[in-house]
Amino acid sequence: MRLLILSPLLCAIATSATAADTYAIDLDTTKKAAVFEGLGALSAGASSRLLPDYPEPQRKEILDLLFKPRYGASLQHLKVEIGGDGDSGVGCEPSHMRTRSDVNFTRGYEWWLMVEARKRKPAIFLDTLAWTAPGWIGEGKIYSQDMADYVATFIEGTQKTHGLTINYTGIWNERPYDANWIKVLRRTLDAKGLKQVQIVAADEFNMKWRIADDAAKDPELNQAIAVFGEHYPLQYTMPTAVARASGKRLWSSEDGPWSGTWEGAGKLAKMFNRNWIMGGMTKTISWSLISSYYDHLPMPGSGLMKANTPWSGYYEVQPAVWSFAHTTQFTEPGWRYLDGNACGMVPDNNGSIVSLVAPDGKDVSIVAETIDRNQPLTLNVQVPAAFAERRFHIWRSNATAQFIRVGEQVPVADKLNIELEANGITTISTTTGQKKAVPSIPEEKSFPSTYQDDFEARKPGQLPRYSSDQGGIFEVAKRTDGKGRCLQQVIGRRPIEWIYTPDPVTFLGDPSWVNQTISVQARFLTATADPQAFVAVLVRVVNKVMGVKVWNAHALRLYATGNWELRAGEKVLAQGHVMAPGDTWHRLQLKAERRRLIAHIDHTEVVSIESKMTSGMVGLGSGWHQAQFDDLSVSGKSAEPLSLAGAHVTASSSYDNSYQPALAVDGNPQTRWNSAENKTPDNTFTEEWLAVELTKPTAINGVRCVPFLGERIKAYRVQVWAQDAWKDVVVGKAMGTEPRLDSFPTVTTTKVRLLITEATRSVSFCEFQMFNHIDDAP
């Protein structure tokens, strides 16, 4: 086993190039290396939240594209989060045990997803991993017997309730592991009859595979762990010599470029090949499975596919799907990598090739990526005698077209000569039956401008349509007065956190809404003496950063004491008192109209106040206590940005060709402009700017900036070209991480510039939009 694990290093440094544009390999199927264990994806962090809300047939089409063999991505592994009611990235996943006595194996959507995956591919492997846990676990300590029982109960319930066998489970996502607890988990699984469930450890990143060092010194720990797995090894640390010599299987247990675009697909292709060639890793899991969450949340567009407008049925089959297909439609777990030079880096290390053989030796597949090459490469393949008369089918992908069957070759004098185009992916295989699915997809539509929900259409315990929980869990429940169903925030205690979980809040709508109204009936489930207990409605909800403590939003809070507050984030704009709420329903309404916020409680206006204009979604909130909401009514209107088609976009600098200035005005929140890392001698950053030259003089009275992750910008200006000079129309301070909407008196100009005058690092924008009627949204 040790020699098999080390063999990729020999492949990586072997060269048989006869010229700079030619590379030769020997497809010797007798030289078998380690077993290929497959490629998969990870549904976690609430990244799949909106997928169950899709209508048929689109939902079936999406699931087929992910899991159906030889059809789309053809995933061979599915890894899911063991929900813990806390924020795990882009939202909260529900728990199956909210108390020691509460057990429910139907909450959330991960079980549904696993069932659908197994329905399409019965042999798919299922993995699990926890991010958060309910607060009762170990009295706040995740590494406890409670947590071992919690994991085991999840696996037991998955099998008994849904008929699904879990193959692998991990420890705690990207947090320091506890070696003793890993042994406790192994003993607990064994005691519950779950010996077949193997443990993967330690699901950390950039920790230099230290779990292998500990296991080498501790026989019980070594026996407890079946697989050493780390996250993003190609970016951080490849398996160490100790890990390679351990005899354990090595996995990239979370990986990916966080993008389904062609750029992301190319990175995936490199990662799939090079994780084996450079690190001896036989399985790779990519996050996320699918981008079924709102674009303004962290890391938009991270999945293989994008499906986050269930009200329209629209979804995107992105190039990343076909990057997977180049391997998964031509191999299966159980195939073997080939040793020798059939796996390795091409000359100059600007491409890679892996070759695999079927268990019965009757089929072979070669997967080549030339993502970093700027010229074609001719691949010469020496074919074994057993394959001398076989047809080798050739499939290609590039930036303009993916997964296209371009022909076939029969060896001539036991050789194949195949051109690998630059910046492409090519698979050469004796297998047949592959397919590129091309469904008919509905037109994309924005969130409805008016929306109501009385929560009667879903069963108690289910999640409502379209909402995204970022703190707490909001699920359908029976009204305690017996008058039908409502929405209930059910979590009464802060969970054990992976990242900071804000006070319970859920939102829906359109991030581009400027003017909006939310109205709902709300009540405390029981009268409470806690002066901090509250129910809330929110407008202009914006944020793009994980671990936020207070959402950037305008919120009307009604407290159990009868006090109310109108807030902007943590800042209290206005406050007052109404009759104490008690155990009754109250109607809360908050309206954002142009530059004014208007709040009503029980149909009485309590405040109307001027406020800085911005845009965002609407939401509901509460404290860490149970509260009910019913008869939700929402309306919203976006200010339509000007078309910038034909505009000439320039910038002070760009990080590289992947972050050009035009990407900030392309209407796609998944792409962005990023400036270079231009530091001055005193370690501050030079002024950076993004300028848009319009095709004709245009009247504008507002701009919207959507910055990328991180609070980088401390001061900025919006400028227009007037009288042969730049003129300030906005002088702004820290932009933070939320979209910033600035309005100003209408001006006619041919050029607009965003000037960053103070920043803590390079600046980056996903979108820069202009408006000429920003105050006119009804």
Side-chain angles (χ1 to χ4, degrees):
M1 175 64 78
R2 183 178 303 179
L3 291 176
L4 296 180
I5 292 295
L6 290 175
S7 61
L9 282 180
L10 303 178
C11 297
I13 63 174
T15 60
S16 55
T18 57
D21 59 352
T22 304
Y23 185 64
I25 66 171
D26 185 357
L27 200 65
D28 187 345
T29 56
T30 67
K31 295 182 177 179
K32 296 177 181 178
V35 173
F36 168 68
E37 296 187 82
L39 304 180
L42 175 57
S43 174
S47 58
S48 301
R49 168 62 189 93
L50 297 175
L51 179 57
D53 292 339
Y54 263 77
E56 298 293 0
Q58 287 77 37
R59 188 170 68 177
K60 177 183 181 299
E61 292 168 357
I62 293 167
L63 292 166
D64 285 349
L65 280 158
L66 291 171
F67 301 114
K68 187 176 178 180
R70 295 193 177 183
Y71 185 77
S74 303
L75 294 173
Q76 297 156 337
H77 289 256
L78 172 62
K79 185 174 180 178
V80 303
E81 176 179 351
I82 300 175
D85 295 330
D87 187 358
S88 51
V90 293
C92 301
E93 297 254 14
S95 165
H96 62 287
M97 291 181 69
R98 293 187 173 136
T99 67
R100 293 183 189 277
S101 59
D102 167 68
V103 182
N104 186 314
F105 300 113
T106 62
R107 293 182 183 130
Y109 38 85
E110 300 296 8
W111 282 296
W112 164 81
L113 186 61
M114 288 189 284
V115 168
E116 294 295 328
R118 274 269 168 90
K119 186 187 301 182
R120 288 160 174 81
K121 188 176 178 65
I124 196 168
F125 292 87
L126 299 176
D127 302 12
T128 64
L129 179 65
W131 268 248
T132 68
W136 65 267
I137 295 285
E139 289 302 313
K141 182 181 179 182
I142 200 164
Y143 290 132
S144 59
Q145 183 62 54
D146 282 345
M147 190 62 187
D149 292 337
Y150 185 79
V151 172
T153 301
F154 180 94
I155 295 170
E156 284 182 310
T158 302
Q159 183 171 328
K160 293 177 181 178
T161 306
H162 302 284
L164 300 172
T165 300
I166 299 297
N167 303 103
Y168 300 96
T169 193
I171 312 305
W172 185 11
N173 182 65
E174 295 177 353
R175 292 295 177 264
Y177 62 86
D178 183 310
N180 288 327
W181 186 81
I182 295 174
K183 293 182 282 189
V184 169
L185 177 60
R186 180 70 270 165
R187 292 195 292 267
T188 303
L189 293 172
D190 291 348
K192 292 181 177 290
L194 299 171
K195 293 184 178 181
Q196 82 283 357
V197 180
Q198 299 183 58
I199 293 178
V200 183
D203 282 302
E204 294 182 317
F205 68 91
N206 200 26
M207 296 306 294
K208 299 179 174 57
W209 300 78
R210 63 176 185 171
I211 186 69
D213 299 327
D214 286 350
K217 304 170 187 174
D218 184 336
E220 186 182 356
L221 177 63
N222 189 63
Q223 184 67 27
I225 299 170
V227 179
F228 292 147
E230 285 232 8
H231 293 187
Y232 306 93
L234 197 61
Q235 298 179 40
Y236 294 106
T237 308
M238 280 296 182
T240 60
V242 174
R244 292 173 186 274
S246 67
K248 301 287 185 186
R249 289 170 286 164
L250 307 178
W251 289 357
S252 174
S253 50
E254 182 182 323
D255 218 321
W258 298 350
S259 169
T261 63
W262 170 249
E263 179 190 2
K267 290 180 179 179
L268 284 170
K270 291 166 59 176
M271 181 180 76
F272 296 153
N273 280 9
R274 299 181 191 197
N275 277 351
W276 163 249
I277 293 167
M278 301 171 65
M281 288 170 282
T282 54
K283 169 182 164 181
T284 296
I285 295 286
S286 178
W287 186 84
S288 68
L289 171 72
I290 188 165
S291 302
S292 282
Y293 55 95
Y294 290 107
D295 281 337
H296 79 303
L297 286 167
M299 298 161 289
S302 66
L304 284 65
M305 298 174 63
K306 184 178 181 182
N308 64 353
T309 59
W311 47 87
S312 70
Y314 173 82
Y315 60 91
E316 295 178 18
V317 186
Q318 299 181 127
V321 167
W322 309 114
S323 185
F324 272 85
H326 269 283
T327 296
T328 56
Q329 287 206 31
F330 300 91
T331 67
E332 287 289 345
W335 282 50
R336 300 287 290 264
Y337 289 103
L338 292 182
D339 219 331
N341 69 356
C343 296
M345 304 298 294
V346 305
D348 301 323
N349 291 329
N350 54 14
S352 64
I353 296 169
V354 296
S355 304
L356 303 100
V357 62
D360 60 8
K362 295 181 179 179
D363 281 296
V364 291
S365 294
I366 303 168
V367 185
E369 58 82 12
T370 51
I371 299 301
D372 297 332
R373 288 186 65 85
N374 55 20
Q375 62 181 5
L377 176 72
T378 299
L379 180 65
N380 302 140
V381 184
Q382 179 68 44
V383 177
F387 293 88
E389 297 182 2
R390 294 286 298 275
R391 294 181 182 273
F392 285 76
H393 309 278
I394 305 168
W395 293 72
R396 284 183 179 155
S397 292
N398 56 35
T400 57
Q402 290 86 47
F403 209 62
I404 306 299
R405 186 177 182 274
V406 295
E408 59 185 34
Q409 277 193 30
V410 176
V412 176
D414 295 338
K415 291 187 187 305
L416 297 171
N417 289 284
I418 298 169
E419 183 177 281
L420 309 179
E421 62 183 5
N423 189 25
I425 311 168
T426 304
T427 300
I428 306 144
S429 180
T430 59
T431 63
T432 59
Q434 290 78 21
K435 183 178 180 180
K436 181 178 181 179
V438 187
S440 177
I441 301 173
E443 179 182 353
E444 185 174 20
K445 296 178 181 178
S446 299
F447 194 92
S449 58
T450 59
Y451 177 77
Q452 292 84 35
D453 198 344
D454 61 8
F455 309 107
E456 298 296 330
R458 299 209 169 179
K459 297 177 182 179
Q462 292 185 325
L463 299 174
R465 291 183 303 166
Y466 311 154
S467 66
S468 179
D469 298 345
Q470 301 300 305
I473 299 292
F474 293 74
E475 61 186 33
V476 176
K478 293 180 180 179
R479 288 175 54 136
T480 54
D481 59 11
K483 296 180 180 179
R485 297 170 183 167
C486 64
L487 187 67
Q488 183 170 319
Q489 198 294 110
V490 295
I491 307 302
R493 178 177 179 178
R494 185 177 291 281
I496 300 173
E497 296 169 320
W498 178 65
I499 54 175
Y500 187 88
T501 299
D503 286 343
V505 61
T506 190
F507 58 70
L508 74 167
D510 191 321
S512 69
W513 278 350
V514 176
N515 293 343
Q516 54 199 243
T517 301
I518 180 170
S519 178
V520 74
Q521 290 192 74
R523 61 171 291 190
F524 299 92
L525 195 57
T526 56
T528 176
D530 182 0
Q532 299 303 312
F534 69 90
V535 289
V537 289
L538 302 89
V539 296
R540 293 177 174 166
V541 182
V542 290
N543 214 283
K544 285 181 64 106
V545 63
M546 290 193 295
V548 63
K549 293 190 176 181
V550 176
W551 279 87
N552 289 301
H554 298 298
L556 172 62
R557 288 187 175 190
L558 176 62
Y559 288 87
T561 59
N563 293 332
W564 62 265
E565 292 176 343
L566 182 62
R567 291 186 168 205
E570 293 184 285
K571 183 179 180 181
V572 177
L573 304 178
Q575 56 190 336
H577 184 81
V578 295
M579 184 179 295
D583 189 17
T584 58
W585 289 94
H586 294 268
R587 171 65 64 175
L588 304 181
Q589 178 179 294
L590 185 57
K591 183 175 185 179
E593 186 175 40
R594 298 182 175 88
R595 300 174 185 276
R596 183 159 290 275
L597 296 172
I598 306 168
H600 288 77
I601 299 176
D602 292 330
H603 306 287
T604 299
E605 182 179 307
V606 294
V607 67
S608 176
I609 192 172
E610 288 286 324
S611 179
K612 186 176 181 65
M613 179 176 282
T614 184
S615 60
M617 304 173 78
V618 298
L620 303 171
S622 76
W624 290 103
H625 55 82
Q626 296 192 356
Q628 292 189 335
F629 303 86
D630 205 356
D631 297 328
L632 173 67
S633 177
V634 172
S635 63
K637 177 67 176 178
S638 304
E640 294 298 325
L642 294 168
S643 172
L644 298 180
H648 181 57
V649 188
T650 56
S652 52
S653 67
S654 293
Y655 186 80
D656 61 30
N657 288 334
S658 300
Y659 301 99
Q660 292 298 308
L663 297 176
V665 299
D666 63 355
N668 183 356
Q670 298 182 45
T671 60
R672 59 189 172 94
W673 163 66
N674 204 112
S675 70
E677 294 280 358
N678 291 327
K679 289 185 178 180
T680 61
D682 63 354
N683 209 36
T684 59
F685 282 81
T686 59
E687 290 187 345
E688 300 284 357
W689 51 263
L690 178 77
V692 180
E693 185 173 357
L694 304 165
T695 57
K696 61 182 179 180
T698 302
I700 66 170
N701 67 1
V703 298
R704 181 172 180 260
C705 304
V706 183
F708 187 58
L709 295 173
E711 305 224 3
R712 307 177 177 185
I713 300 163
K714 299 304 179 184
Y716 71 98
R717 298 173 183 238
V718 178
Q719 302 174 318
V720 299
W721 189 252
Q723 298 177 341
D724 297 325
W726 290 110
K727 176 185 176 182
D728 294 339
V729 291
V730 175
V731 177
K733 296 182 180 179
M735 191 173 288
T737 57
E738 71 275 11
R740 175 62 59 88
L741 187 64
D742 286 305
S743 60
F744 43 85
T746 300
V747 61
T748 299
T749 186
T750 57
K751 291 190 288 187
V752 181
R753 184 168 77 164
L754 174 63
L755 176 66
I756 309 303
T757 55
E758 184 181 350
T760 58
R761 57 173 298 186
S762 65
V763 297
S764 187
F765 288 88
C766 299
E767 291 294 308
F768 180 62
Q769 299 171 321
M770 302 177 196
F771 303 84
N772 63 7
H773 55 283
I774 200 165
D775 286 330
D776 296 335

